[in-house]
Amino acid sequence: MSSVIAALLVALGAAAPATTQAESFPVTIRADAGEPLGELAPIWRFFGGDEPNYAHMKDGRRLLAALGELEPKAVYFRTHNLLNTGDGTPALKWGSTNAYTEDAEGRPIYDWTVVDRIFDTGLERGVRPYVEIGFMPQALSTKPDPYQHQWRPGLPYGDIYTGWAYPPRDYSRWAELVYQWVRHCVERYGEAEVATWYWETWNEANIGYWQGTPEEFLKLHDVTVAAVRRALPRARVGGPDMAGSDPEFLRAFLEHCREEGTPLDFISFHAKGRPRYVDDHVQMGIAAQLATIDQGFATIASFPELKRTPIVIGESDPEGCAACQGPQLAYRNGTMYSSYTAASFARKYDLARKHGVNLQGALTWAFEFEDQAYFAGFRALASGGLPLPVLNVFRMFSKMGGQRVAAESSAEGPLDTMLTEGVRGAPDVAAFASAEPNRLAVLVWHYHDDDVPGPDAAVELTLGGLPAAVHHAKLAHYRIDEDHSNAYGAWKRMGSPIAPDRGQYSEMEAVARLAVMGEPATTSVEGGAVTLRFPLPRQAVSLVTIEWP
């Protein structure tokens, strides 16, 4: 055993109690740099949230900077409410920009001040817009009153569907609003920049977010796309960003675009899991999310001419309401969310491969909630300016690239079983690997739907397929678990202070960073392979990288 591996084992095992070690179960994993499976699309680089005005507030700016650092100018941010009427004051599941009003004679007044501030904040930090064109300004709504909803957690979700959700009273005025907006963006940011953005019409028009008929939505979509392309002929346009993957709605949309000749540069639908609270714990519903994706991909693949059209899962999450709260949502702050994310993202690639479709993105509908209590229970990437463990999964993803390569595990959950049953029996201890010239990265997770304690996995990981001429390589191991890359865990160990002092906050900031287990060091390579052994606790995620000259 090389000295670096011995040191790594000491670092990984030092914090684990002896009883956990005795109860651990063996798992063998092999990743092979010499067995490529195709280019690894960085599908993880899309994010979003309901509340646009949080983006330019103090913690919003900080989070956007963290997202932009993942892959500058390749990360995208989608948000609702960009055309809502209002003064820009945020609230849960609400936002506004006052982009369109009318004077006393009914003449349009365009004001891009607030929406520019939102876009500027992201662009200055390397984050580009995935532009959701909606919702309806009050002056254009066919039912303008009541307009701003008064929803809060615990009230019926349907209370949010007020005047902003209705069709326009004048489609030509709506089209001109869209045209003027896109033209303004081109003038402000440049044609080349705006051509890299995504433009899509509305949100989830197959449920209450659209208070018109399906036919009215298709009309809205057609005139919206035409207006975008009138302002920028090479703009990237698509949709329908529907809730779920209802084959009837999606097929009707795709057939309509084909028959009408409406451009379709990308196809988007949403996929959510279904957690519940049972026997005093959270039980995740990964099967529901994966089955939705499977169904959506199958529908798109049934159109031969669309099989290579880029797909973005426009909201891709463990459940459907980031601003909602409740016992079944208690997974959000800790390592259940991060391990779920690792396990589910890997299967999105598998499902795209199964159907032969072109998956370009899976958008995590989670941002941050400004000036809320620390770890208040919302679905978020950060709380009080502190990254949550799930954000560190995306930091791991950002360290992967090039080609996806083969990775096999003796404890991997079968895809077909996960689609129907989730992970309810044996845990899913599996891996996802990528290779670039002179570099191999392997993501390993230990996931189970049930948020209850369980034994460690005793992982034996072989990094194989390295060039025969390589005899030494640099090894690094990153980890998310209860004690690493986990500000929430640190906060609980402090006694869950309502208002952390400066020292406590600084300690949580440090723990919130992606942790490296030990120091990266050089290890021996024998026969084109390196083998590591380490314990992987339940809900933990590891990223192991190896680089050679």
Side-chain angles (χ1 to χ4, degrees):
M1 179 185 301
S2 71
S3 59
V4 66
I5 296 178
L8 179 63
L9 292 175
V10 170
L12 287 169
T19 53
T20 302
Q21 295 295 309
E23 296 169 357
S24 64
F25 59 96
V27 178
T28 58
I29 298 174
R30 179 179 175 87
D32 195 328
E35 193 175 339
L37 301 177
E39 183 179 357
L40 181 65
I43 66 170
W44 52 267
R45 59 197 170 91
F46 294 78
F47 303 93
D50 289 59
E51 299 84 5
N53 307 105
Y54 289 153
H56 54 79
M57 298 177 73
K58 63 181 188 312
D59 292 337
R61 295 192 302 268
R62 187 173 187 177
L63 178 53
L64 283 172
L67 296 179
E69 289 170 358
L70 297 175
E71 192 170 341
K73 295 189 176 181
V75 174
Y76 286 87
F77 183 67
R78 175 178 183 256
T79 181
H80 297 340
N81 303 307
L82 287 174
L83 295 179
N84 285 30
T85 302
D87 63 5
T89 300
L92 296 181
K93 296 197 69 65
W94 176 257
S96 60
T97 67
N98 226 39
Y100 180 92
T101 53
E102 294 177 358
D103 66 15
E105 284 71 42
R107 292 175 298 219
I109 301 173
Y110 304 109
D111 185 349
W112 313 116
T113 303
V114 178
V115 75
D116 283 351
R117 187 180 305 141
I118 294 165
F119 286 179
D120 288 353
T121 303
L123 288 165
E124 289 165 2
R125 291 160 177 80
V127 177
R128 285 176 158 151
Y130 180 117
V131 187
E132 178 189 308
I133 305 173
F135 294 118
M136 195 58 58
Q138 188 170 19
L140 285 180
S141 175
T142 53
K143 188 180 178 182
D145 296 306
Y147 189 72
Q148 181 174 349
H149 64 72
Q150 301 300 315
W151 181 88
R152 65 190 66 199
L155 296 182
Y157 192 84
D159 288 358
I160 71 170
Y161 304 130
T162 48
W164 56 265
Y166 284 80
R169 60 178 175 80
D170 185 327
Y171 281 84
S172 63
R173 286 189 176 229
W174 166 264
E176 186 64 17
L177 164 61
V178 174
Y179 167 76
Q180 292 293 339
W181 187 18
V182 179
R183 189 179 75 167
H184 167 77
C185 289
V186 170
E187 292 172 351
R188 183 176 180 85
Y189 304 108
E191 180 178 326
E193 171 59 37
V194 179
T196 68
W197 301 0
Y198 292 77
W199 296 84
E200 55 93 1
T201 308
W202 217 254
N203 173 72
E204 300 186 337
N206 58 324
I207 61 172
Y209 279 89
W210 178 248
Q211 294 293 305
T213 66
E215 293 73 23
E216 287 173 321
F217 169 69
L218 293 174
K219 179 179 179 180
L220 184 86
H221 180 72
D222 288 348
V223 302
T224 301
V225 168
V228 173
R229 283 288 183 88
R230 180 160 60 97
L232 180 58
R234 62 190 182 110
R236 179 161 46 189
V237 294
D241 264 288
M242 57 183 280
S245 55
D246 174 12
E248 183 177 349
F249 186 92
L250 182 55
R251 184 173 293 280
F253 174 82
L254 297 176
E255 288 175 346
H256 171 85
C257 290
R258 179 172 62 186
E259 292 168 4
E260 297 298 321
T262 307
L264 195 60
D265 297 320
F266 65 96
I267 303 168
S268 51
F269 64 90
H270 300 171
K272 309 286 186 174
R274 193 175 300 138
R276 58 184 189 144
Y277 197 74
V278 296
D279 298 329
D280 297 321
H281 72 272
V282 176
Q283 184 181 77
M284 303 298 283
I286 198 171
Q289 184 180 11
L290 296 181
T292 299
I293 295 170
D294 188 48
Q295 184 182 67
F297 287 173
T299 301
I300 295 166
S302 71
F303 291 77
E305 71 275 24
L306 296 178
K307 286 195 73 170
R308 301 315 301 160
T309 300
I311 297 170
V312 179
I313 307 172
E315 295 180 21
S316 188
D317 299 287
E319 38 78 22
C321 177
C324 294
Q325 296 170 309
Q328 78 279 13
L329 306 178
Y331 71 88
R332 293 169 163 184
N333 289 321
T335 54
M336 174 58 91
Y337 191 7
S338 48
S339 59
Y340 178 104
T341 299
S344 62
F345 264 77
R347 275 42 187 247
K348 294 167 193 176
Y349 286 100
D350 292 339
L351 289 169
R353 186 177 179 84
K354 169 186 171 182
H355 292 284
V357 296
N358 181 14
L359 178 61
Q360 275 202 354
L363 192 150
T364 297
W365 197 250
F367 189 54
E368 65 96 25
F369 292 84
E370 200 83 17
D371 293 330
Q372 298 285 343
Y374 287 90
F375 310 107
F378 298 115
R379 188 174 72 240
L381 299 172
S383 177
L386 297 166
L388 298 180
V390 66
L391 181 55
N392 283 311
V393 173
F394 295 107
R395 287 169 170 161
M396 288 178 171
F397 287 150
S398 74
K399 295 180 179 294
M400 305 181 75
Q403 295 281 313
R404 182 182 179 184
V405 297
E408 296 181 348
S409 170
S410 63
E412 179 175 358
L415 181 60
D416 289 345
T417 301
M418 293 184 72
L419 287 169
T420 56
E421 302 174 18
V423 184
R424 301 291 170 86
D428 176 46
V429 185
F432 185 84
S434 69
E436 303 170 82
N438 307 323
R439 189 173 186 273
L440 175 64
V442 186
L443 188 75
V444 185
W445 58 88
H446 183 170
Y447 172 73
H448 197 283
D449 275 349
D450 289 288
D451 188 11
V452 296
D456 291 358
V459 174
E460 179 180 283
L461 171 63
T462 298
L463 309 170
L466 309 184
V470 173
H471 300 292
H472 296 89
K474 184 178 180 181
L475 183 73
H477 188 139
Y478 304 87
R479 168 61 69 82
I480 304 167
D481 60 25
E482 188 61 27
D483 300 314
H484 301 90
S485 312
N486 186 351
Y488 180 60
W491 181 72
K492 289 189 296 181
R493 290 190 293 274
M494 293 172 184
S496 306
I498 294 174
D501 61 29
R502 171 57 63 189
Q504 291 171 321
Y505 192 89
S506 297
E507 181 181 341
M508 288 190 289
E509 280 186 305
V511 174
R513 302 186 186 105
L514 181 58
V516 181
M517 305 299 290
E519 293 294 330
T522 300
T523 187
S524 299
V525 180
E526 299 179 3
V530 173
T531 297
L532 311 176
R533 296 175 182 85
F534 54 86
L536 190 68
R538 191 147 164 156
Q539 299 185 6
V541 183
S542 280
L543 176 71
V544 177
T545 64
I546 188 167
E547 300 181 44
W548 56 92

